[in-house]
Amino acid sequence: EAPPPPPLALSPRQRARMAHLSDATLPTGGFAHSGGLEAASQLGLLGGGDEAVRRFTRAATHSTATLLAPFAAGACSLFSSPVGKEGPSPAQWREWEALDTALHAQLSANGPARRASAEQGRALSRVGAVWLRQEAAARDLCAAFGDRGANPNRAPHGATMLGALCALLGLPPQVAAEVIAYTTARDVLSAAVRLNLVGPLAAVEMQADVAEEAAAAAAVAAQRGVANAASSAPLLEAMHPCHDLLDRRIFRT
């Protein structure tokens, strides 16, 4: 097991941007998705009590982090150089599209996860275009990502769009990986509260417990690269697609 990278030295501006990118008020649609928790609960596979929710959140967050963090970090590295008025080079576009296509293939067996990823990727492209509206080249690039997402086979998946947006915000690849881990834990636990599976105060402690561990796993996974990206919770991967079969559901996925 590779050791996690050393702590990042971020400027005040970078810390503020990282906090904003992780904030619950950012309209990316993350709270419309349960990460498979709703299906697990209705199918009787979750178990009861706070510890069952903690175990599910830990498994879901770790699995998502080890799969998505390498793609987010890879996209961030790809656009780490300042974007000029002419925008990315054709080679950069091809490399980003190859990353996005590879992630699309990884998610192809899990329809709900694939839809959630595409929806959040498109939302992030809109967020980036507004956030960076004073920086014409970066703003136009975010809009271009959204345009390329009009084709479902070229959807700007959440991880690859997040990585590109981190680069445009001047944030390093490790931040992109850690944001994936944090927001996954946050969204799953928010779903648990709304499903009345756990109380809001208990969720605070669980998130503190799970998110730090998952951030370390995401940072290590990002170092390993896209070739080694993989989920780590096969039972969750099997139950998540069952969300589409539920008679009654609160969440989109």
Side-chain angles (χ1 to χ4, degrees), residues 129-222:
V130 174
W131 190 342
L132 296 168
R133 65 182 182 277
Q134 301 300 328
E135 303 172 31
R139 178 199 63 213
D140 293 345
L141 179 55
C142 286
F145 281 118
D147 291 341
R148 289 182 179 235
N151 180 344
N153 295 321
R154 282 284 185 262
H157 281 289
T160 44
M161 186 62 232
L162 174 67
L165 181 56
C166 279
L168 297 176
L169 292 169
L171 298 171
Q174 190 177 330
V175 165
E178 292 180 3
V179 168
I180 288 281
Y182 174 83
T183 54
T184 300
R186 179 201 68 191
D187 294 350
V188 171
L189 285 168
S190 171
V193 172
R194 291 166 67 187
L195 289 167
N196 202 29
L197 299 172
V198 69
L201 292 179
V204 171
E205 185 273 328
M206 287 184 197
Q207 181 164 334
D209 177 36
V210 170
E212 184 175 349
E213 178 185 310
V220 171

Side-chain angles (χ1 to χ4, degrees), residues 3-193:
L8 289 171
L10 300 177
S11 69
R13 186 186 193 200
Q14 286 176 313
R15 287 197 298 271
R17 286 186 161 189
M18 180 180 180
H20 193 29
L21 195 59
S22 306
D23 194 86
T25 61
L26 207 68
T28 59
F31 294 122
H33 308 281
S34 74
L37 180 64
E38 187 171 25
S41 177
Q42 288 201 33
L43 293 171
L45 298 172
L46 180 64
D50 288 2
E51 284 309 306
V53 174
R54 186 191 302 272
R55 286 193 300 271
F56 182 94
T57 305
R58 176 173 282 114
T61 304
H62 186 278
S63 185
T64 300
T66 56
L67 173 61
L68 299 185
F71 288 96
C76 187
S77 297
L78 186 60
F79 293 101
S80 56
S81 300
V83 178
K85 291 183 179 180
E86 67 281 0
S89 68
Q92 282 178 304
W93 272 124
R94 286 194 298 271
E95 288 187 53
W96 180 82
E97 288 182 345
L99 275 178
D100 199 67
T101 300
L103 179 54
H104 191 81
Q106 285 269 19
L107 296 171
S108 62
N110 189 338
R114 187 180 67 247
R115 292 198 308 274
S117 176
E119 288 174 12
Q120 291 178 71
R122 292 188 184 98
L124 275 169
S125 72
R126 293 192 295 268
V127 165
V130 174
W131 190 342
L132 296 168
R133 65 182 182 277
Q134 301 300 328
E135 303 172 31
R139 178 199 63 213
D140 293 345
L141 179 55
C142 286
F145 281 118
D147 291 341
R148 289 182 179 235
N151 180 344
N153 295 321
R154 282 284 185 262
H157 281 289
T160 44
M161 186 62 232
L162 174 67
L165 181 56
C166 279
L168 297 176
L169 292 169
L171 298 171
Q174 190 177 330
V175 165
E178 292 180 3
V179 168
I180 288 281
Y182 174 83
T183 54
T184 300
R186 179 201 68 191
D187 294 350
V188 171
L189 285 168
S190 171
V193 172

